[in-house]
Amino acid sequence: MKYSPMVLILALLLGCEQKKPTGWIDADRIMHREAKDWVSLGGDYKEQHYSPLNKINIKTVSQLGFAWEYDARSPIGRVPRGLEATPIVVDGIMYTSGAWGFVYALDAKTGKEIWKYNPKVDASYVRKACCDAVNRGVAVWEGYVYVGTLDGYLVCLDGKTGTELWRKDTFVRRDVDYTITSPPQVAGNIVMIGNSGAEFGVRGYITAYDLKSGEAQWRFFIVPGDPKNGFENEAMEMASKTWDPNSDWEAGGGGTSWGQSAYDPELNLLYVGTGNSSPYPIWFRSPSGGDNLFLASILAINPDNGKLIWHYQTTPGEIWDYTATMNIVLADLEIGGTTRKVLMQAPKNGFFYVLDRATGELLSAEKFSRVNWASHVDMKTGRPVLTEHGQWYKDEPKLVFPSLGGAHGWPPMSFNPGTGLVYIPERVEPMVYTATKTYSWMPDRDNTGFDYSQMYKYKQVINQVKEAEDTITTESLLAWNPITGKAVWKISDGAPNGGTLSTPELVFQGTRTGYLNVYDAKTGEKLKELFTGTGIMAGATTYEIDGEQYVAVMAGYGGAPTDYFPQDAALHQYQNNGRIICFKLNGGETPLPPRTVKIPTPEPPDMKINSALVDRGSVLYWDYCEVCHGGFGEPPPNSTWPEGHMSQHPDLSKMPKDVHKVFKEIVLGGIFSSAGMASFSRSLKEEDVEAIHHYLVKIQQDAYDQLKKAAGD
Ligand code: CA
């Protein structure tokens, strides 16, 4: 129900408080959140992932247990997909998104479904997604719910019924590999959406739409196009001066924006983090170098007209996949005796940035993780000072911290205004950066120009290894003081890599091993662990209904940097079924998912194998299929991909006979595209597919023979 202006004026005159319709979020509610609610992905407009609710506290947390769960399995295809969104809760109604852009509205007290929205995506778009068919959340505004779909639409739903009111095609072209995994952001009178795809070679941009009509209002490209075609605006003209005029414009440049943005209603500024380059090596992209604005930057934009107000580039001339799309947190901090309105971000590059969010002035940039590409950030120029490790890896590979997975990925960090600490899912990983020898953009495959096969081969850079720790990976929950620029405590046990939630005394964090852990916000002492049997990557949310505090989290594993499933991941033991799990005090035991079942190799088809085709097929398999389906043993010589990883996608060495019969129709004809297996007819020929098939049948025959031998046949 909506109120007419007359009713609103009357209500104001009479001095009575206007009651908002149930589930209603507006400027007032986002600025002055009631403690019981969680009205944006990060809680309120400051996006701190913090709630003042404190019934679950140091003393009571031992009583935390299971309240309810909701089945959020992906109904498209049979591959479990990662869940990454933080649920929004208002007046006891939970709104959140799952894989592909599904949206769920639930009774937040019971988990009972109110409605579910199926975005009816073109599932073949999952081939274009570097890191699974994930979705990072919805925006709820004045009775509407907004979501981006993997295949590029911004959709507006009726908040009461889930009925689709409008859908807008946000893609400027569909012949390159754009996808949407990002959440929409409401700012003033618009809803903004970005996109993903820099690994495949696209030109990033964001678009703003009218909140009600869905009419496009403005578009801001993040990197310039070929200057021969002119510039969209002054910002693009300025940015183009930092690119070689003879850049590889076909490769798109990258810069895609897919993370959690923020909006300050008082300053009327929209804050957007931008992504990595495309391709990574600048000598392929912009041969003479340059800063390549606005890659890996934080942009402040006037949402009324899409004009750039200020920008700060974290990684000039980006060559390491150092996206700055990690969640942006707003806070008012006491710095040098004055209160500063700041914006904080811990991007992949390992520096923690504090910026004045009105002006973009750099207030602090300290290493929060192991970083060797730069020694420090020069506070006068705002630029990182590169070390020998940070030089171009054109002629020799470089050992670099952090890795392309970043010192901090998309799982949200949180800020507790009481302790003054930021809680970061932090990761230390060294990587050997090696470029491919040559580069040209090719359809249907990774276009980063990065030689993945070398990334963990530390031997080849042994001269750059100076300490024992130089080749070691660790993951931690890190408590960071943004004012002093120093770590306060760090916990490195139990795979703490999920997003964090803060409450006055506690920090909540999920793990891929299937736990939701609760820590003392001051000391980092682990106070409680709840085993769910499902890997948790998303940040949790907390809210109150009828005087009871709840903590809810989306559980479901998948997506980079977790597409490579470590042995400790819960999915090796339990089926990786997407679920929303809710906890409360005096709750019960969390039900565990069914056990994972290993499928034995079925009898292979009786096919005469051609060994030349097997060799050719193995190369093609690694170039086009391995990234999703996983690999078998060592990669072929000269492959730019590493040895095989585990995968949730169908194991192609275990295809039943009826699938073998239609192998060509699957790969070229796209007959399984509605399950997420795209047609590769644009990039593969019939003889290529035959070669891949010979390679797979050979592997299946060998495995089957071994099985029979083991069984004593
Ligand atoms: Ca990337």
Side-chain angles (χ1 to χ4, degrees):
M1 179 168 57
K2 280 197 203 154
Y3 294 94
S4 72
M6 208 53 198
V7 173
L8 289 177
I9 290 162
L10 262 176
L12 282 173
L13 285 174
L14 293 169
C16 63
E17 206 185 316
Q18 182 227 334
K19 176 125 175 49
K20 296 184 198 295
T22 304
W24 187 263
I25 295 173
D26 57 17
D28 175 48
R29 258 192 156 156
I30 212 117
M31 286 289 280
H32 312 286
R33 163 176 55 149
E34 294 169 67
K36 69 179 175 64
D37 294 326
W38 186 277
V39 294
S40 74
L41 293 177
D44 67 359
Y45 82 98
K46 286 187 174 163
E47 307 289 351
Q48 294 173 347
H49 288 262
Y50 171 82
S51 165
L53 292 179
N54 199 31
K55 280 185 179 155
I56 302 169
N57 57 41
I58 287 177
K59 285 208 180 81
T60 61
V61 70
S62 61
Q63 308 302 314
L64 194 62
F66 175 81
W68 55 258
E69 73 172 302
Y70 174 79
D71 183 349
R73 263 181 290 185
S74 157
I76 296 177
R78 56 195 175 112
V79 181
R81 303 287 175 188
L83 296 179
E84 300 190 351
T86 306
I88 289 172
V89 181
V90 59
D91 301 331
I93 301 172
M94 177 180 292
Y95 302 97
T96 193
S97 62
W100 308 98
F102 272 75
V103 182
Y104 310 104
L106 311 178
D107 179 330
K109 188 174 178 170
T110 62
K112 198 169 163 278
E113 182 181 297
I114 299 168
W115 53 258
K116 175 161 87 178
Y117 169 73
N118 179 341
K120 303 215 166 68
V121 292
D122 176 348
S124 68
Y125 269 72
V126 71
R127 207 262 315 134
K128 304 167 184 250
C130 73
C131 317
D132 207 355
V134 293
N135 188 283
R136 301 195 179 86
V138 297
V140 181
W141 198 257
E142 299 193 343
Y144 302 117
V145 179
Y146 303 92
V147 71
T149 67
L150 188 76
D151 58 352
Y153 296 89
L154 177 69
V155 176
C156 173
L157 308 173
D158 182 322
K160 280 219 168 74
T161 61
T163 308
E164 185 178 299
L165 299 176
W166 50 256
R167 78 161 37 210
K168 299 290 163 185
D169 184 354
T170 75
F171 286 169
V172 290
R173 48 191 288 201
R174 286 189 178 266
D175 58 336
V176 290
D177 293 349
Y178 284 110
T179 50
I180 295 180
T181 56
S182 47
Q185 172 72 47
V186 172
N189 297 313
I190 58 101
V191 52
M192 178 280 289
I193 189 86
N195 47 52
S196 313
E199 267 64 37
F200 296 91
V202 298
R203 183 183 175 202
Y205 60 88
I206 54 173
T207 318
Y209 297 85
D210 181 81
L211 281 164
K212 290 204 166 67
S213 69
E215 209 176 300
Q217 301 299 298
W218 50 260
R219 172 164 287 143
F220 186 88
F221 280 96
I222 289 161
V223 294
D226 190 339
K228 283 195 203 92
N229 304 327
F231 306 104
E232 286 86 359
N233 52 44
E234 281 169 26
M236 281 302 99
E237 190 169 2
M238 182 253 273
S240 86
K241 298 198 170 80
T242 66
W243 290 71
D244 187 328
N246 296 312
S247 289
D248 183 356
W249 303 111
E250 196 193 5
T256 48
S257 175
W258 48 262
Q260 245 177 272
S261 317
Y263 170 63
D264 183 328
E266 282 173 353
L267 298 170
N268 193 33
L269 288 178
L270 166 67
Y271 304 107
V272 179
T274 74
N276 58 272
S277 54
S278 175
Y280 298 167
I282 196 169
W283 48 99
F284 293 144
R285 179 174 84 238
S286 172
S288 61
D291 286 354
N292 289 190
L293 291 169
F294 296 100
L295 294 174
S297 301
I298 298 165
L299 310 177
I301 289 172
N302 178 343
D304 298 337
N305 54 24
K307 281 228 166 85
L308 183 69
I309 305 300
W310 58 257
H311 72 275
Y312 177 76
Q313 189 177 38
T314 63
T315 313
E318 198 286 301
I319 54 175
W320 304 279
D321 192 17
Y322 285 166
T323 61
T325 58
M326 285 62 241
N327 70 305
I328 290 171
V329 167
L330 311 184
D332 299 335
L333 295 185
E334 282 287 316
I335 298 176
T338 46
T339 305
R340 303 290 295 255
K341 283 173 177 291
V342 309
L343 167 162
M344 299 186 278
Q345 196 197 43
K348 278 188 183 178
N349 78 9
F351 285 91
F352 190 96
Y353 296 93
V354 184
L355 300 167
D356 181 309
R357 70 176 184 266
T359 62
E361 184 196 343
L362 180 66
L363 301 175
S364 172
E366 296 293 334
K367 293 176 180 176
F368 67 92
S369 182
R370 198 175 166 97
V371 174
N372 76 355
W373 64 276
S375 61
H376 64 287
V377 173
D378 181 331
M379 291 303 288
K380 280 211 189 82
T381 61
R383 298 175 69 86
V385 178
L386 300 190
T387 65
E388 60 192 277
H389 296 271
Q391 305 304 317
W392 289 4
Y393 45 93
K394 188 178 177 191
D395 301 317
E396 59 161 351
K398 296 283 183 193
L399 177 73
V400 181
F401 286 88
S403 70
L404 54 77
H408 172 218
W410 65 266
M413 65 181 191
S414 59
F415 172 64
N416 179 334
T419 62
L421 301 179
V422 181
Y423 303 95
I424 310 168
E426 183 250 5
R427 198 159 178 269
V428 172
E429 184 182 50
M431 189 155 279
V432 180
Y433 278 80
T434 311
T436 54
K437 302 261 173 325
T438 57
Y439 176 85
S440 63
W441 185 86
M442 286 167 80
D444 293 349
R445 52 179 291 181
D446 180 276
N447 276 293
T448 57
F450 181 67
D451 187 345
Y452 295 89
S453 68
Q454 304 300 306
M455 61 188 176
Y456 299 120
K457 294 194 176 152
Y458 304 117
K459 269 195 193 141
Q460 58 163 325
V461 288
I462 201 76
N463 60 324
Q464 297 172 44
V465 175
K466 296 205 172 73
E467 296 169 46
E469 296 82 50
D470 281 355
T471 58
I472 292 172
T473 296
T474 51
E475 292 165 285
S476 309
L477 171 60
L478 172 71
W480 179 260
N481 184 325
I483 295 174
T484 63
K486 288 193 165 62
V488 175
W489 53 258
K490 189 166 165 169
I491 307 294
S492 305
D493 68 328
N497 47 11
T500 68
L501 156 70
S502 280
T503 61
E505 299 179 1
L506 306 172
V507 184
F508 297 76
Q509 188 187 35
T511 72
R512 65 169 172 267
T513 51
Y515 288 90
L516 182 69
N517 291 328
V518 192
Y519 301 89
D520 183 326
K522 279 214 181 94
T523 65
E525 185 193 343
K526 196 195 275 182
L527 301 172
K528 180 79 179 172
E529 52 176 40
L530 294 141
F531 186 61
T532 69
T534 310
I536 301 171
M537 311 184 294
T541 191
T542 188
Y543 53 94
E544 191 176 283
I545 303 171
D546 299 335
E548 181 133 54
Q549 186 183 352
Y550 297 83
V551 172
V553 70
M554 300 195 78
Y557 195 69
T562 56
D563 223 14
Y564 294 74
F565 306 113
Q567 277 306 329
D568 62 358
L571 57 81
H572 295 299
Q573 291 181 56
Y574 297 95
Q575 289 178 28
N576 183 24
N577 298 337
R579 3 162 27 196
I580 303 170
I581 311 177
C582 185
F583 304 92
K584 63 175 181 181
L585 294 178
N586 302 310
E589 279 289 302
T590 309
L592 300 179
R595 287 273 175 181
T596 302
V597 192
K598 272 205 168 153
I599 308 164
T601 301
E603 192 184 346
D606 187 14
M607 211 165 103
K608 205 168 153 19
I609 296 302
N610 174 322
S611 64
L613 283 183
V614 170
D615 288 348
R616 211 166 92 69
S618 76
V619 175
L620 288 163
Y621 180 86
W622 240 268
D623 279 351
Y624 289 94
C625 321
E626 191 268 352
V627 64
C628 283
H629 290 279
F632 314 103
E634 282 286 309
N638 302 324
S639 167
T640 58
W641 290 93
E643 64 184 61
H645 67 281
M646 320 260 316
S647 166
Q648 293 189 101
H649 291 82
D651 179 342
L652 301 185
S653 73
K654 292 180 176 178
M655 289 190 286
K657 277 186 177 159
D658 53 344
V659 173
H660 279 287
K661 272 188 205 139
V662 288
F663 188 76
K664 195 177 79 188
E665 286 76 9
I666 296 168
V667 182
L668 296 180
I671 60 170
F672 282 1
S673 67
S674 64
M677 170 59 200
S679 160
F680 282 74
S681 60
R682 185 167 67 152
S683 43
L684 296 176
K685 295 189 188 68
E686 225 168 278
E687 55 265 35
D688 299 331
V689 178
E690 195 193 357
I692 294 170
H693 197 202
H694 273 250
Y695 167 65
L696 291 170
V697 172
K698 169 87 172 85
I699 286 174
Q700 187 167 346
Q701 284 179 351
D702 290 350
Y704 190 73
D705 289 349
Q706 277 203 345
L707 259 185
K708 276 190 7 190
K709 232 185 240 159
D713 257 5

